[in-house]
Every structure is written in structure tokens, then in C-alpha cells.
């Protein structure tokens, strides 16, 4: 599968920065285990790295027969290249619900190749702060009140 297709597939499956970090950690751990004298079996990989196993099978279907180190390395490089959009939300907001809504909105309106990163901020009473690729949008309640 070409790299651009892998990036698209990864962003579609991973969706959030939190999931990206988990996947990177699992990939690094698995790479370390593969270097051991007795590497883990396919079943051990599925049991110990369930999220990573799912992603590998989606991106590299041939890994069901044999996991290759180069696929893991390519996966890591591609993961690190995925862009993120950041949302700062009020601490009082139920983060999981809003994260899910913002992830869905990002996917529908910007495409799959943008991961969502939501962080709760005690500095925001209401609204949201959005940043992406050096651009920033302040939609906080504090700013709205100060402008009126």
C-alpha cells in the first residue's frame, strides 16, 4: 500500500492525538521485542498489542502471515507525519463528549488526515480555542465579553 494511502488509513483509524501516542508507544515496544532472540509470536502480538495489531492488519494485510520490521518503521514515520488540530476546551465541559463531537466535525469538514487533540484548560470558562498549522482562533467566552 503506498505511503499516502497508509497515512489516509491511519488518520481514519487513529483519529486523536491520544490514540496516536498510544500507537507509537506500542510500536516502539514491539520493535524492541522483535529484536530479542525469541521474538513474540503473532498470537502474542495480538494479545499484547491489540490496537497496534488492528492498525497493522488494516494498513498491511500481509502482516497476518508475517510481521516485518520495515512495516512497523514505516508506520512510525507515517504516524509522526500526521497533522493535528488542537482544541482547548473549558475544564467544566465533559471532555469525552466534546472530544467525540470535535473529532467527528474535523473528519467531516477537513478530511481524515487530521488528528484531533482536545485539552481541558482552566483558563477557559466557555467557548473553545482552536489552533492548526500556526493558525489560531479564539472563540472563548472571555474574548466575546471583552469585545462587546
Amino acid at each position: 500500500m503506498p505511503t499516502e494511502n497508509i497515512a489516509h488509513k491511519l488518520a481514519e483509524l487513529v483519529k486523536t492525538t491520544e490514540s496516536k501516542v498510544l500507537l507509537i508507544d506500542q510500536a516502539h515496544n514491539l520493535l524492541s521485542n522483535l529484536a530479542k532472540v525469541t521474538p513474540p509470536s503473532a498470537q502474542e502480538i495480538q494479545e499484547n498489542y491489540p490496537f497496534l495489531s488492528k492498525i497493522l492488519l488494516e494498513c498491511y494485510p500481509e502482516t497476518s502471515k508475517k510481521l516485518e520490521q520495515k512495516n512497523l518503521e514505516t508506520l512510525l514515520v507515517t504516524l509522526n507525519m500526521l497533522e493535528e488540530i488542537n482544541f482547548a476546551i473549558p475544564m467544566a465541559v465533559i471532555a469525552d463528549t466534546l472530544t467525540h463531537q470535535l473529532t467527528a466535525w474535523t473528519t467531516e469538514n477537513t478530511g481524515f488526515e487530521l488528528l484531533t487533540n482536545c485539552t481541558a484548560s482552566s483558563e477557559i470558562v466557555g467557548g473553545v480555542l482552536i489552533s492548526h498549522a500556526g493558525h489560531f482562533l479564539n472563540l472563548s467566552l472571555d474574548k466575546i465579553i471583552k469585545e462587546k
Side-chain angles (χ1 to χ4, degrees), residues 42-53:
Q43 183 177 350
E44 289 173 322
I45 292 170
Q46 287 180 343
E47 290 172 3
N48 296 326
Y49 307 98
F51 185 47
L52 178 60
S53 294

Side-chain angles (χ1 to χ4, degrees), residues 28-116:
H28 282 297
N29 287 337
L30 183 54
L31 277 171
S32 296
N33 286 333
L34 289 175
K36 293 181 179 175
V37 176
T38 307
S41 68
Q43 183 177 350
E44 289 173 322
I45 292 170
Q46 287 180 343
E47 290 172 3
N48 296 326
Y49 307 98
F51 185 47
L52 178 60
S53 294
K54 176 186 173 191
I55 300 296
L56 284 169
L57 286 173
E58 289 282 337
C59 295
Y60 306 100
E62 66 276 8
T63 58
S64 64
K65 295 182 179 99
K66 183 180 182 223
L67 175 64
E68 294 189 26
Q69 183 174 336
K70 70 176 183 170
N71 289 349
L72 270 174
E73 291 167 350
T74 302
L75 182 78
L76 281 167
V77 168
T78 308
L79 275 170
N80 284 314
M81 291 178 4
L82 291 176
E83 285 189 62
E84 300 172 11
I85 185 167
N86 299 296
F87 297 95
I89 57 175
M91 296 276 300
V93 173
I94 301 170
D96 288 342
T97 303
L98 191 55
T99 298
H100 179 71
Q101 291 171 338
L102 291 171
T103 300
W105 180 88
T106 301
T107 300
E108 289 170 15
N109 293 285
T110 65
F112 286 109
E113 295 182 24
L114 197 57
L115 302 181
T116 306

